[in-house]
Amino acid sequence: MSTRLFLFTTLFKVINIHYYKIIIVCQGKSMNSKNRISPAIVVIIIFGIISMLGDIVYESARSANSQYLNWLGISAAKVGLVFGIGEFLGYALRLLAGIMSDKSGKPWFFMFIGYGMLLSVPLMGFTMEWNLLVIFILMERIGKALRNPAKDTVLSGVAEDQVGIGFAFGLQEALDQLGAFLGPLVFTAVFYFAGNSRISEYQLGYKLLIVPFVILMIFLYFAFKKITSSKLLSKDKNKNYEHEKLEPVFWYYTVFAFFCTMGFVNFSIIGYHLKANQLMSDGNITLLYSFAMLIDAVAAIIVGKAYDRLKEKTKKKTGGILVLAVIPLMTMLLPLLTLSNSTIFIIMGMLFFGIIMGMHETIMRSAIADITPYRKRGTGYGIFNSAYGLAFLAGSALMGLLYDMQLIKLIIAFTFITEIIAIVLYLMMNNTIKSDHQYSA
């Protein structure tokens, strides 16, 4: 069986499992004693749809931006600089946005502004001016930084007393990945039906993204009305507690996540390895990434449920954190598998890649809600996301440098060292949790 046929067959199976899992989990979670869908589950599904539509808009654009700018004659150096600044702002400003969201007590303001800035994406289809395109590209990244801490705060606040934080973030990630999968197909469809891929077709693709943007904003307004009318955020959560602070366990957790992430082999390195050594065709490389993202989506729901069940079993708010111990252990295997010359090992490695990403996006975010007070949660998510982005940047840059020097063994050693440090930090964090009675359920 060829690599492409194997990947297509596996993708099809994963998609079926993915949607079957979503349906079963939602049915199990959504019914109350009167067999009616609870307002909390409705809101969580709406937030998932919002995430999916957001991903369709900006992942679609991100799949086409480089090619569009190339058509316009923009140099690779300029493109790389702007995208680099955008990624930096996208993570660094989350800290400021989280603090401001907590201080103001108005997370919805940051969500509406943040999602509203996605309008910059369809606007890219109306201009070929480099200066305007720079502004639009940066606006999209800044918008994501503004909305994410506030969104995670509200979502965790709705979910924690209703359906489980792990389930909420798991469903978010599953639908988020669906959006990331569907987004690039917008431009693919435009090129297919137009029979060409010139500047005019790229501009049409951008303009069409106004449709998911408008639908997204309608769903966001509906989520706002549903939460306020159903009073899904308790009065206690809306009070301003000046004495609340981030406890030592939060800082242990953030540093643990930093080292876990820094040793994670990014797909940019894996894809480069596959292309440079001609281990797979370009089509199979992109198909392999799609396979990993769908594994991510399925894993997110499974580990999200496992996270919630562990909390119930241990009768502790932090019981689900036990799942985190698996992340550094699995991450250690990534460079051994994905940077090998064996197709089978590489596919196995991408399976682990997808599972680890699902854990990053689900239980790592869920845990923040369980170790931070609600009125400090935006700050907590802001700090965590900034540290996460910095770890990705540092790890990817160093691994890229080592790969250029053909030092794959040093990449493996670097991953092992960072993940061993993460395990030590996990044990320290676990001891702190055990000695602090406030984390009991």
Side-chain angles (χ1 to χ4, degrees):
M1 184 184 292
S2 68
T3 302
R4 176 164 292 192
L5 180 59
F6 173 78
L7 287 172
F8 267 122
T9 304
T10 309
L11 272 172
F12 180 75
K13 290 178 180 177
V14 168
I15 289 169
N16 279 329
I17 295 170
H18 178 197
Y19 292 109
Y20 176 76
K21 197 75 182 174
I22 288 177
I23 291 167
I24 294 298
V25 170
C26 287
Q27 285 177 341
K29 287 282 186 181
S30 65
M31 297 302 177
N32 57 25
S33 59
K34 295 182 179 179
N35 290 328
R36 297 180 65 186
I37 298 177
S38 70
I41 197 70
V42 170
V43 167
I44 289 167
I45 292 172
I46 291 171
F47 267 113
I49 294 170
I50 290 169
S51 292
M52 180 185 72
L53 292 167
D55 259 49
I56 288 174
V57 174
Y58 69 75
E59 291 293 356
S60 180
R62 282 159 70 87
S63 72
N65 285 344
S66 297
Q67 302 91 293
Y68 180 56
L69 296 175
N70 179 264
W71 266 109
L72 299 180
I74 309 301
S75 70
K78 286 183 178 179
V79 172
L81 178 62
V82 170
F83 287 166
I85 293 171
E87 289 302 314
F88 172 76
L89 290 175
Y91 279 103
L93 290 180
R94 293 186 195 193
L95 173 57
L96 179 61
I99 293 171
M100 290 171 63
S101 175
D102 283 345
K103 292 287 185 183
S104 66
K106 297 178 179 178
W108 287 104
F109 172 79
F110 289 89
M111 278 192 279
F112 275 103
I113 294 296
Y115 276 114
M117 291 175 78
L118 278 175
L119 180 62
S120 60
V121 174
L123 288 178
M124 289 178 67
F126 291 90
T127 183
M128 292 187 290
E129 272 295 323
W130 169 238
N131 292 336
L132 281 176
L133 290 170
V134 169
I135 292 171
F136 291 149
I137 290 168
L138 295 182
M139 276 180 65
E140 184 272 312
R141 290 289 87 188
I142 292 170
K144 187 165 187 177
L146 291 178
R147 66 181 179 259
N148 267 28
K151 184 191 75 172
D152 287 346
T153 298
V154 172
L155 179 63
S156 63
V158 170
E160 63 184 340
D161 298 327
Q162 306 283 335
V163 295
I165 296 172
F167 163 73
F169 280 111
L171 183 60
Q172 287 286 295
E173 176 62 8
L175 290 172
D176 197 68
Q177 287 305 318
L178 176 59
F181 180 75
L182 293 175
L185 297 181
V186 172
F187 280 91
T188 302
V190 169
F191 300 153
Y192 176 78
F193 288 110
N196 219 322
S197 56
R198 297 165 301 189
I199 291 176
S200 58
E201 282 75 37
Y202 275 95
Q203 290 186 326
L204 175 60
Y206 286 116
K207 290 173 184 176
L208 288 175
L209 295 175
I210 192 69
V211 176
F213 169 76
V214 171
I215 298 171
L216 182 157
M217 296 305 291
I218 292 170
F219 271 101
L220 183 62
Y221 177 75
F222 184 72
F224 168 69
K225 297 298 289 183
K226 188 71 177 177
I227 288 177
T228 51
S229 63
S230 302
K231 298 179 181 178
L232 294 177
L233 290 176
S234 68
K235 291 181 180 179
D236 286 343
K237 288 175 182 167
N238 290 316
K239 290 180 181 177
N240 187 14
Y241 293 112
E242 297 294 336
H243 66 278
E244 289 182 336
K245 62 179 182 179
L246 297 174
E247 300 292 339
V249 67
F250 168 80
W251 300 106
Y252 276 126
Y253 175 76
T254 301
V255 181
F256 159 79
F258 178 88
F259 280 98
C260 270
T261 307
M262 190 161 64
F264 181 74
V265 182
N266 196 291
F267 188 74
S268 60
I269 304 296
I270 298 169
Y272 189 92
H273 171 72
L274 298 177
K275 178 68 176 176
N277 293 281
Q278 298 182 342
L279 296 171
M280 286 188 183
S281 67
D282 290 3
N284 281 348
I285 292 172
T286 55
L287 191 61
L288 183 66
Y289 184 71
S290 296
F291 161 74
M293 291 302 95
L294 286 171
I295 293 294
D296 172 349
V298 175
I301 294 177
I302 295 171
V303 298
K305 283 198 72 179
Y307 181 88
D308 290 336
R309 283 177 178 172
L310 273 172
K311 285 170 64 176
E312 293 172 7
K313 188 176 180 179
T314 59
K315 297 182 180 178
K316 290 182 178 180
K317 283 182 67 178
T318 53
I321 287 178
L322 292 169
V323 183
L324 292 170
V326 180
I327 297 177
L329 297 174
M330 292 183 67
T331 303
M332 284 182 180
L333 297 173
L334 272 186
L336 293 170
L337 296 170
T338 58
L339 299 182
S340 71
N341 291 322
S342 166
T343 301
I344 296 299
F345 281 174
I346 290 165
I347 292 172
M348 286 173 59
M350 289 306 293
L351 174 66
F352 282 118
F353 181 96
I355 294 170
I356 294 167
M357 283 300 296
M359 289 183 168
H360 278 211
E361 294 296 331
T362 303
I363 57 177
M364 276 192 171
R365 289 163 67 192
S366 300
I368 294 291
D370 286 324
I371 60 176
T372 56
Y374 183 79
R375 288 294 304 195
K376 288 293 181 183
R377 207 165 285 174
T379 303
Y381 278 116
I383 293 170
F384 172 79
N385 285 321
S386 297
Y388 188 85
L390 181 61
F392 248 125
L393 175 64
S396 296
L398 180 57
M399 288 183 193
L401 179 64
L402 291 174
Y403 192 89
D404 278 343
M405 297 167 68
Q406 299 182 347
L407 298 172
I408 291 179
K409 288 183 179 178
L410 278 185
I411 294 176
I412 295 170
F414 172 71
T415 296
F416 268 72
I417 291 168
T418 55
E419 300 313 308
I420 288 170
I421 293 171
I423 291 169
V424 172
L425 287 162
Y426 172 82
L427 295 173
M428 294 170 67
M429 175 181 68
N430 208 31
N431 287 334
T432 304
I433 289 171
K434 287 178 180 178
S435 62
D436 196 332
H437 297 295
Q438 72 169 302
Y439 295 112
S440 297

